[in-house]
Amino acid sequence: MKNFKRFLLAGGVATTVVLSSGVAANAAGYPNYPAPKTFGTTLQADPGHDFTKHISPRRNGILRGWVTHVSGTTVEYEPIKWKKGTQTEGWFVGPPENDAMAYSSRVAKGVIFLSASGCKVSGGEPTLARSTGLGAKRCSRTVLLKRYARSGQPSLITVYRGEIVKVQEIFTP
């Protein structure tokens, strides 16, 4: 009987270790979605989204976009695309004028915000992954909301279950 209890205890510990390691592997709590091309030249579609009704969250996934309005902890955002230039490399543009292609989502309390320009509200020195040109410095939700209330920065915006769970800025000189 004593050996049986040890066996059960050891099995329980092993199960706990296996289960906790699975949770640690995905600490963010949402699936890994395929990222769009950082400098894609088309606006990302959202099949099945009805833009004629009230503004609502985008479906689960990653959108190349920028925030257009902040109200408390809810943000409005729209898709963007890269427009190649003749005098410069190019710039990001949103949907055409009078196009209602916009979304609105609450920013999750545990949002992951990866800045391309430090954690000051007004920005600072570049803090990015040189290989991708994407933000690498983790900053707070407060910095995210205050910075985006001032101006929208091109970003990869991850939406999960109607909330924004990750924002990774795209560095543009």
Side-chain angles (χ1 to χ4, degrees):
M1 184 70 170
K2 206 177 211 182
N3 287 338
F4 182 71
K5 286 181 184 178
R6 284 185 188 157
F7 174 77
L8 286 177
L9 180 62
V13 170
T15 303
T16 303
V17 169
V18 169
L19 290 176
S20 65
S21 67
V23 171
N26 190 6
Y30 60 89
N32 287 329
Y33 297 111
K37 288 184 179 179
T38 305
F39 295 96
T41 56
T42 59
L43 294 173
Q44 289 173 260
D46 190 9
H49 193 92
D50 189 358
F51 292 103
T52 61
K53 295 186 177 179
H54 63 46
I55 190 166
S56 60
R58 188 179 197 284
R59 70 178 63 233
N60 292 347
I62 301 175
L63 174 74
R64 179 185 54 252
W66 55 31
V67 172
T68 57
H69 180 72
V70 176
S71 177
T73 59
T74 302
V75 298
E76 291 181 15
Y77 52 102
E78 64 185 15
I80 57 174
K81 65 180 180 177
W82 183 253
K83 181 171 173 121
K84 293 180 182 180
T86 55
Q87 303 289 330
T88 64
E89 288 182 38
W91 58 92
F92 283 104
V93 296
E97 196 70 30
N98 298 324
D99 190 329
M101 194 177 212
Y103 308 97
S104 177
S105 297
R106 198 171 70 76
V107 177
K109 287 186 180 184
V111 67
I112 297 170
F113 174 43
L114 299 172
S115 171
S117 59
C119 291
K120 293 181 180 176
V121 173
S122 60
E125 293 296 315
T127 55
L128 54 115
R130 296 195 188 277
S131 61
T132 61
L134 297 173
K137 174 80 172 167
R138 186 159 184 175
C139 302
S140 71
R141 178 182 189 222
T142 304
V143 171
L144 167 71
L145 293 170
K146 286 181 179 178
R147 182 178 296 171
Y148 284 84
R150 290 182 172 194
S151 66
Q153 172 73 21
S155 304
L156 295 179
I157 302 167
T158 305
V159 178
Y160 179 63
R161 295 184 179 168
E163 288 187 326
I164 295 176
V165 294
K166 182 178 177 183
V167 176
Q168 189 170 20
E169 290 182 336
I170 301 170
F171 180 75
T172 54

